[in-house]
Amino acid sequence: MGQGTEPRRGQAYDGELGAAVARAQQGDEAAFAVAYRFVQPGLLGYLRGLVGDDAEDVASDAWLEIARDLGRFRGDGAGFRGWTATIARHRALDHLRRQRVRPRSSALEQDVLELPGPQSTHDQALEAISTEHALELVRGLPRDQAEAVLLRVVVGLDGPAAARVLGKRPGAVRTAAYRGLKRLARQLGVESVTEEAPRTLGEST
């Protein structure tokens, strides 16, 4: 299977992931290992954006909880990625609290505007974001933008699923992801685009 679990391609493998999860719920350990291989790269990238070098430790804690509660999960492959991201996020926030590092509060206004985004900037930012350097830049974004970008791009969740993980409206998450990607594109020097192609990230609310 090799690099088939590359995070941004995650959605293409949701059928196989869902089948593996179903088998794992029946006690198939090999199937659980398959599900882990599908999900872990994106989950680890998400956690690196939240807790930096402690991501491996937090991921281990998250997978212990995922394995323990697997029987309670209901859903398909995409749902499993959202469920595991929610667990990982809770473990990451617990970890930050233990370190007495308070997560940055969201500066996102509640009455956000739906903003159009130049698609080419978005695509180029996505390509660059797989690098360690880009993950460091993501960590420097306002927290709402960082989490939205990580969930959408690195974990590969759609807008509504990312919104469920964060407990926010899809429109707010979409706008935060757009703003975060736009800022990243500027920092990565890929903003050589026009302001046409009014596309928003994700689906309409």
Side-chain angles (χ1 to χ4, degrees):
M1 204 108 62
Q3 291 305 101
T5 53
E6 196 267 318
R8 284 196 306 281
R9 309 266 181 260
Q11 290 158 321
Y13 297 91
D14 277 345
E16 291 175 61
L17 173 58
V21 170
R23 291 196 308 275
Q25 288 180 310
Q26 303 300 315
D28 184 336
E29 289 183 20
F32 185 81
V34 169
Y36 172 87
R37 285 198 300 273
F38 276 125
V39 171
Q40 173 69 351
L43 211 58
L44 201 54
Y46 176 46
L47 289 170
R48 277 203 191 101
L50 294 180
V51 300
D53 292 339
D54 295 328
E56 296 268 4
D57 291 342
V58 174
S60 295
D61 290 345
W63 279 104
L64 286 173
E65 185 172 338
I66 290 162
R68 187 193 71 205
D69 293 344
L70 185 65
R72 287 191 230 159
F73 170 72
R74 297 289 176 269
D76 57 8
F80 185 72
R81 282 190 293 117
W83 182 67
T84 56
T86 300
I87 290 173
R89 182 174 193 263
H90 289 158
R91 296 286 69 75
L93 295 180
D94 286 348
H95 176 80
L96 291 171
R97 275 192 285 273
R98 280 197 302 274
Q99 289 189 320
R100 288 178 166 65
V101 176
R102 296 196 65 78
R104 271 192 299 272
S105 61
S106 165
L108 189 66
E109 317 89 308
Q110 279 310 105
D111 53 341
V112 291
L113 299 172
E114 291 295 310
L115 297 177
Q119 192 61 20
S120 49
T121 298
H122 169 234
D123 289 341
Q124 290 173 68
L126 297 196
E127 283 310 308
I129 214 170
S130 58
T131 67
E132 286 295 321
H133 172 59
L135 275 176
E136 281 303 308
L137 291 178
V138 170
R139 293 192 74 199
L141 293 173
R143 187 174 188 86
D144 63 305
Q145 294 179 17
E147 287 209 71
V149 168
L150 290 164
L151 287 170
R152 296 299 314 280
V153 177
V154 180
V155 180
L157 300 183
D158 65 16
R164 282 194 296 276
V165 171
L166 297 174
K168 296 184 175 183
R169 298 186 331 265
V173 174
R174 214 167 35 247
T175 303
Y178 164 74
R179 288 177 175 167
L181 284 173
K182 191 167 175 60
R183 185 182 297 202
L184 281 178
R186 246 192 333 267
Q187 291 173 324
L188 293 165
V190 297
E191 197 172 37
S192 54
V193 295
T194 63
E195 287 300 319
E196 45 225 29
R199 290 276 302 271
T200 53
L201 281 168
E203 306 69 20
S204 56
T205 312

